[in-house]
Amino acid sequence: MDSSHVDDATNTKSASVDDKALSTQVATLQVSSESSPQEPEQEASSRSPEPRHPHDIADDISTGSDSSEDETHKDATTTPRQELGLVISALQNTVQKSTPAEGTPPHDHQQQQEQPSDIRKEGEENVEEEDHAKMNGNHAAEELHSGDDDGHTTLSEQSEYDESSSRDGSMGEIVPPTPGTPPPIFEPRTSDDLPDVEAYSSANLIALHDINLKDIKANNLSPREQEKADEPVLRAIRHLFNNRFMKAKRLFEEKAKSDPLSALGLGSMAFLKAVMTMDPTATDNAIQVLLASYSLATAQIDAATKRNVGDSVVQYFTSYYNYIKYSRGSTALPASPTPATRESIKKQKIKFVPNGILRAHVAKAESCLQIAILQLLQETVVGYIKCGLNLRRAYTSYSLVWQEYKRMGQTYNDFIDQDTVSGIQFGIGTVHLVLSSLPQKILRVVSAFGWKADKHLGFALLKLSLEGRRIRSPTASLMLLAYYTVLTSLCPQTLANEYTQPAIETLLDAQRTYPNSAIFLYFAGRTSRLARNLTLSTQSFMYAVEISKNEWAEVEVMHLCSYEIAFNYMMQHHWEEAAKLFETLYKDRYWSPAIFRYLQGACLDMMGDRTEAILAFAEVPELVSSNKASSAAMMEQYVLRKVKGFQETGYQDMDMNLCALEYLCIFNAFYFMDTALLEHSLGVADEALNRILDAERMEYGIRTRELLPETPPPQYFDQRGTLLLIKASLLNAMGRHRDAIIHLNWIIDHKDKLTTDKWVVPFAFWEAGVTSWGLEYKTRARSFWTNALKYTKYDFEYRLAMTINLAVTRADELGVPKPEHRSKQPVSAKSPEDSNNTSNTTPTTSISGTAPPESNDDTNQGSRSSD
């Protein structure tokens, strides 16, 4: 029996002592259930086992002798059970309740969903009674937030499956959510709490050294023999995504110095750690391991081609020639030769490139692909250039294998193993998905291909790879989820409704095979945020931290999820809790201490603790890294400039800055916030604008009494512009698009006077596009987004370019025409754009792509905006 089911049977009792200790707290969530050590074995065996899912049975078959090892292996902390399934169930509940009708702003819909408290309480009591009737008395309860305005939900710890659903592979029925209590404030362990951090780091180090490439032999296994030989790699992948990281590492290491796929497995583990930490050292280590995998695959190809001097070598070079000839065409896929049939193979004695060479090419290409993604995430010009070089290398190998695969026709299964086929699908699909998400600014630097990437082709190929249930299946799921969640969070205004449901479906599929994966729990947290359920999102990240304790990636998962939880706290205005987490990340030297110290100060300032905030800001300049190639370099320059601006004024103008809300605005986070918190944030922004007005009145008052005073005339354009951008973004998130127009007009009218915060103007054009999109001026929205792309050399330039590219791509899919040769038509605050009546319409308020003649009374215009 699989170890996960043994654990499920033996660990169903929660510690009653802990429950009593936590009963006095307002917010309680049992994240990790601890079993009683004195629990009799007979009690565990007497409980009816959960029906097995086919994928679980397949996992046992593939793992072989490791199954017994899994049963005897016990972690220091008991593994939580079915958390991913619980989160997904609550997430589905959230989406069903909160999905707005077409064209309805999300927060308007949220207000429509509100019910009288007495009706809601009555409904919750009925649901709770039904759930208690269904739940087994021996099972403890997990508490999850369902997404209601005031209520929370409780799910049973163990998902209930019936025999029919387990036979046909469908997901078992999960007890629906019922009211519960919110989670406690998350306080992660610091690195100091870990035993012997240096020994921990060295034991978990992934490296590939001392590989003698001259000793690498050709791989002459047949496809079926190869699939059997690759069972340890498949086993390792399943260990990796079931949080048994060290077992996966040991299995990969067994043949890592002789087998390209095993070496690639180690490289993939290092890749995951580098993506989680974004640490330059971890990134360099991952690239070194992947380069070793690349060299190993190349050596195996060379060993095979030197010994095969017949038709296969001729076909090998012919395929390469065909790639050079056709890969730069207009088609999104490599050239596909005429497929062979069984009759033609026998009559013409057609021979194909051996499976060992094709397999090595796929491993070689995937190594380059992962290196390219790491270089892309650095967000530097040098990184983009290197990314382009490695993408071309990857696509060259993928094209060779693709052409040979298509040449095999319907008989491909006789000549190529399943993992190589899924590897082609994964690789070409990922290349298309990555390239389709990049804006022209980056593509010009990458300059990778002569054809246009096809996002939908990428989705289709990745889903084929996922459905193969082989080695690349979970990584295909990760790539899909990364697009559905991480990229969609850049542009939630146009993409969230489209991709939230596909993300849930991908998580459901992954949950069947990896029910407690920390990696998929992380993406469940990101998906919950897309569904505007921040409490459930925080719980998912907490589960991921708890479930990865005492494992290879414990520290990395803890740091990554701690940041995401702190970001959720900022959106929920839990400033004190967010400040504590940022302080922990600063002390642990995760990613960028300068950024986390700045964010801690920003949260402290929102709490009203100005003194501590200033002390935190004062440390930022000394913490900024000198490494310009790191992924944090752009953000560090932004926070450094902000702090230096405060220091130049002696921190006197901090009342006119809202650093925390500014950070949320830059990262497009207002969309995920609750309406009440958006209203509160709007009030805070108005108060800051009023303080600017008070300062201007005072300074102009001095100039009415004194001749040529030493005090310079007030110059608060940057501060006012930033606050008005925050206010416009808040209004757009609330669906009050017409109210945002006047504030955006002020920014665009005074764009030449915003000299410090230059990023505000292109971001204002982005928000102007969002306003126009919300008012159904979709062509006008594209015009504003195009104007935003004309600006260069400002903070977060490539981030905004990627955001706009995603929005424009969505507009293309909806058939929104490009704003070519259109007359300037201002956006009216009264009525939608009407092409038949524009000549007779005089708009009262407009967002213009070019600044009108500036008014001499700047102060009055600013006053009207702030009012």
Side-chain angles (χ1 to χ4, degrees):
M1 184 175 179
D2 192 19
S3 63
S4 61
H5 297 285
V6 174
D7 290 342
D8 284 347
T10 57
N11 299 316
T12 54
K13 290 187 176 181
S14 299
S16 59
V17 177
D18 291 344
D19 291 338
K20 293 179 180 178
L22 294 175
S23 62
T24 58
Q25 298 183 8
V26 178
T28 304
L29 174 69
Q30 191 77 7
V31 177
S32 177
S33 302
E34 297 182 0
S35 62
S36 174
Q38 290 83 16
E39 184 177 3
E41 295 181 1
Q42 293 81 357
E43 183 179 354
S45 61
S46 64
R47 296 171 186 161
S48 58
E50 192 176 278
R52 305 294 304 280
H53 191 277
H55 294 313
D56 297 332
I57 299 173
D59 188 39
D60 281 350
I61 295 173
S62 66
T63 55
S65 60
D66 279 354
S67 296
S68 60
E69 182 183 359
D70 293 344
E71 290 179 356
T72 57
H73 176 70
K74 300 289 184 181
D75 292 332
T77 58
T78 302
T79 303
R81 296 171 299 282
Q82 300 294 337
E83 275 76 2
L84 184 57
L86 301 176
V87 170
I88 294 171
S89 178
L91 183 55
Q92 289 177 309
N93 189 297
T94 298
V95 172
Q96 291 172 358
K97 290 185 178 181
S98 64
T99 301
E102 187 70 25
T104 305
H107 292 286
D108 289 353
H109 176 79
Q110 183 179 2
Q111 294 173 359
Q112 296 171 7
Q113 292 291 322
E114 292 180 357
Q115 300 176 354
S117 58
D118 54 342
I119 297 176
R120 186 163 55 244
K121 288 179 180 178
E122 181 180 355
E124 289 174 351
E125 289 174 359
N126 294 335
V127 174
E128 187 173 8
E129 290 176 1
E130 293 177 4
D131 285 346
H132 281 299
K134 291 181 180 180
M135 290 167 58
N136 190 321
N138 292 328
H139 293 175
E142 290 284 357
E143 297 166 352
L144 290 175
H145 190 267
S146 68
D148 293 337
D149 292 334
D150 299 316
H152 299 79
T153 62
T154 303
L155 297 175
S156 66
E157 279 187 336
Q158 196 169 10
S159 302
E160 297 181 0
Y161 294 85
D162 57 22
E163 284 190 44
S164 60
S165 64
S166 65
R167 274 196 298 267
D168 62 14
S170 61
M171 183 177 178
E173 180 183 359
I174 299 179
V175 178
T178 55
T181 54
I185 299 305
F186 177 67
E187 296 183 359
R189 297 186 294 170
T190 63
S191 296
D192 295 336
D193 298 327
L194 295 172
D196 195 357
V197 177
E198 292 185 0
Y200 171 88
S201 300
S202 60
N204 292 336
L205 180 65
I206 292 177
L208 269 178
H209 300 303
D210 304 327
I211 300 178
N212 190 348
L213 299 179
K214 295 181 180 180
D215 294 339
I216 302 300
K217 299 179 181 179
N219 180 1
N220 297 317
L221 295 178
S222 68
R224 304 292 81 78
E225 291 172 339
Q226 189 64 67
E227 289 168 1
K228 186 171 182 62
D230 284 342
E231 283 186 2
V233 180
L234 179 60
R235 217 158 49 232
I237 285 291
R238 287 179 173 165
H239 283 318
L240 177 63
F241 286 91
N242 276 315
N243 310 315
R244 299 188 289 268
F245 301 111
M246 297 308 295
K247 286 186 177 182
K249 181 172 177 283
R250 287 195 298 270
L251 282 173
F252 285 136
E253 286 174 337
E254 288 179 0
K255 297 182 179 179
K257 294 185 179 182
S258 60
D259 177 43
L261 193 58
S262 297
L264 177 62
L266 277 182
S268 298
M269 291 186 70
F271 169 84
L272 286 173
K273 178 175 283 192
V275 171
M276 284 189 287
T277 62
M278 297 305 295
D279 178 65
T281 303
T283 300
D284 291 342
N285 179 68
I287 290 175
Q288 291 302 316
V289 177
L290 290 168
L291 284 174
S293 171
Y294 174 89
S295 300
L296 182 57
T298 303
Q300 192 173 83
I301 294 170
D302 292 341
T305 54
K306 288 176 182 177
R307 296 179 183 179
N308 291 277
V309 294
D311 294 335
S312 60
V313 174
V314 174
Q315 181 59 41
Y316 173 81
F317 286 106
T318 302
S319 298
Y320 189 83
Y321 168 76
N322 288 334
Y323 164 73
I324 298 299
K325 183 177 180 180
Y326 297 111
S327 64
R328 292 188 176 274
S330 59
T331 59
L333 282 171
S336 298
T338 304
T341 62
R342 293 191 183 274
E343 291 75 13
S344 62
I345 293 174
K346 292 179 180 179
K347 290 180 180 180
Q348 302 175 21
K349 297 182 179 180
I350 297 175
K351 293 185 179 180
F352 301 103
V353 175
N355 181 71
I357 295 179
L358 300 178
R359 177 177 178 271
H361 265 296
V362 171
K364 175 181 173 181
E366 194 166 332
S367 299
C368 291
L369 178 59
Q370 292 188 23
I371 292 173
I373 293 175
L374 289 175
Q375 292 164 339
L376 180 66
L377 293 176
Q378 293 175 354
E379 296 184 355
T380 62
V381 175
V382 175
Y384 293 141
I385 294 173
K386 292 180 178 179
C387 170
L389 294 173
N390 280 294
L391 281 178
R392 280 199 295 273
R393 287 178 183 171
Y395 206 76
T396 299
S397 290
Y398 281 133
S399 296
L400 291 172
V401 183
W402 175 270
Q403 292 172 38
E404 197 68 6
Y405 162 64
K406 299 302 289 185
R407 200 168 71 93
M408 295 172 185
Q410 296 298 320
T411 64
Y412 73 90
N413 197 46
D414 297 335
F415 303 100
I416 188 170
D417 67 273
Q418 297 181 54
D419 291 308
T420 300
V421 173
S422 66
I424 313 169
Q425 296 164 343
F426 170 78
I428 296 180
T430 300
V431 169
H432 277 277
L433 215 56
V434 169
L435 289 179
S436 67
S437 66
L438 299 182
Q440 287 299 318
K441 280 188 176 183
I442 298 178
L443 284 177
R444 281 194 292 267
V445 179
V446 171
S447 184
F449 305 96
W451 41 261
K452 185 177 180 180
D454 188 338
K455 177 181 69 174
H456 298 290
L457 175 62
F459 284 144
L461 289 173
L462 284 171
K463 288 177 181 177
L464 284 174
S465 179
L466 188 157
E467 292 167 0
R469 308 299 171 192
R470 296 294 299 177
I471 291 172
R472 266 80 175 194
S473 178
T475 51
S477 297
L478 287 188
M479 188 56 61
L480 288 170
L481 287 170
Y483 191 96
Y484 292 149
T485 60
V486 179
L487 286 180
T488 300
S489 66
L490 293 175
C491 186
Q493 293 91 340
T494 59
L495 299 182
N497 289 338
E498 180 185 6
Y499 289 127
T500 301
Q501 188 59 39
I504 294 175
E505 293 171 0
T506 305
L507 285 170
L508 274 170
D509 182 84
Q511 184 256 349
R512 293 166 183 167
T513 308
Y514 311 104
N516 295 312
S517 172
I519 299 172
F520 287 116
L521 275 169
Y522 168 81
F523 282 106
R526 295 296 298 258
T527 306
S528 301
R529 183 185 294 164
L530 275 184
R532 295 184 294 279
N533 191 338
L534 296 180
T535 304
L536 180 62
S537 174
T538 298
Q539 291 171 354
S540 299
F541 295 132
M542 293 165 66
Y543 283 145
V545 172
E546 290 295 320
I547 210 168
S548 60
K549 284 184 178 179
N550 304 309
E551 266 292 355
W552 166 73
E554 174 183 4
V555 176
E556 290 75 16
V557 172
M558 180 186 71
H559 285 158
L560 178 64
C561 293
S562 295
Y563 169 75
E564 298 293 348
I565 293 171
F567 193 50
N568 283 350
Y569 284 157
M570 289 182 72
M571 288 183 276
Q572 294 173 302
H573 289 193
H574 296 163
W575 303 115
E576 183 178 359
E577 292 78 13
K580 290 179 180 178
L581 284 177
F582 286 134
E583 183 180 18
T584 300
L585 294 171
Y586 153 72
K587 291 180 178 178
D588 285 354
R589 293 296 188 264
Y590 171 63
W591 190 43
S592 170
I595 293 174
F596 291 126
R597 200 59 164 168
Y598 171 82
L599 291 176
Q600 181 192 1
C603 293
L604 290 171
D605 189 47
M606 294 299 292
M607 293 166 53
D609 196 344
R610 179 62 54 81
T611 302
E612 291 298 324
I614 291 175
L615 291 175
F617 286 150
E619 296 181 32
V620 170
E622 299 176 356
L623 297 171
V624 173
S625 172
S626 59
N627 185 5
K628 302 300 182 183
S630 69
S631 60
M634 174 189 65
M635 186 69 185
E636 285 184 341
Q637 292 305 309
Y638 162 77
V639 301
L640 179 62
R641 183 178 49 74
K642 293 291 292 186
V643 170
K644 284 186 175 180
F646 293 150
Q647 292 175 342
E648 289 173 359
T649 62
Y651 294 96
Q652 294 301 310
D653 63 345
M654 283 189 65
D655 282 336
M656 306 173 189
N657 288 271
L658 300 173
C659 298
L661 294 184
E662 186 175 326
Y663 184 83
L664 293 176
C665 177
I666 290 169
F667 285 86
N668 225 340
F670 293 147
Y671 178 86
F672 310 116
M673 290 172 55
D674 181 77
T675 304
L677 294 177
L678 291 173
E679 291 280 5
H680 177 74
S681 301
L682 202 60
V684 173
D686 281 332
E687 291 174 3
L689 285 166
N690 289 333
R691 287 193 286 269
I692 293 178
L693 279 175
D694 294 340
E696 287 176 332
R697 292 193 184 102
M698 182 186 69
E699 293 173 14
Y700 275 118
I702 295 174
R703 304 186 77 80
T704 61
R705 296 189 300 270
E706 299 181 17
L707 185 63
L708 300 178
E710 295 181 359
T711 306
Q715 298 287 334
Y716 296 117
F717 293 103
D718 287 288
Q719 292 90 334
R720 176 176 278 119
T722 303
L723 290 172
L724 291 178
L725 177 64
I726 291 172
K727 192 171 179 181
S729 184
L730 286 166
L731 290 168
N732 279 334
M734 297 166 66
R736 294 166 54 183
H737 303 295
R738 290 187 176 87
D739 294 339
I741 291 177
I742 188 172
H743 309 306
L744 295 170
N745 275 335
W746 189 95
I747 297 171
I748 295 173
D749 291 345
H750 296 80
K751 61 180 182 293
D752 295 332
K753 296 186 177 181
L754 299 174
T755 57
T756 303
D757 292 321
K758 296 181 180 180
W759 62 273
V760 171
V761 176
F763 272 74
F765 276 108
W766 158 253
E767 289 294 341
V770 174
T771 299
S772 301
W773 189 274
L775 294 173
E776 298 301 323
Y777 301 96
K778 290 184 166 55
T779 301
R780 189 63 171 155
R782 293 191 62 154
S783 177
F784 287 125
W785 292 334
T786 302
N787 285 337
L789 293 175
K790 296 177 181 177
Y791 290 81
T792 58
K793 298 181 180 179
Y794 60 89
D795 296 326
F796 314 105
E797 177 182 353
Y798 290 116
R799 179 182 179 84
L800 181 61
M802 188 170 291
T803 299
I804 292 173
N805 177 67
L806 292 169
V808 170
T809 301
R810 179 59 178 159
D812 287 334
E813 293 172 352
L814 294 175
V816 178
K818 296 181 180 179
E820 296 177 356
H821 307 296
R822 289 174 55 90
S823 59
K824 293 180 180 178
Q825 298 179 9
V827 178
S828 172
K830 287 187 176 181
S831 61
E833 190 175 33
D834 188 350
S835 58
N836 297 325
N837 300 322
T838 50
S839 59
N840 300 324
T841 303
T842 303
T844 57
T845 309
S846 67
I847 299 176
S848 175
T850 57
E854 293 183 2
S855 170
N856 293 328
D857 190 0
D858 293 337
T859 306
N860 292 337
Q861 189 168 2
S863 302
R864 289 195 298 272
S865 297
S866 62
D867 292 340

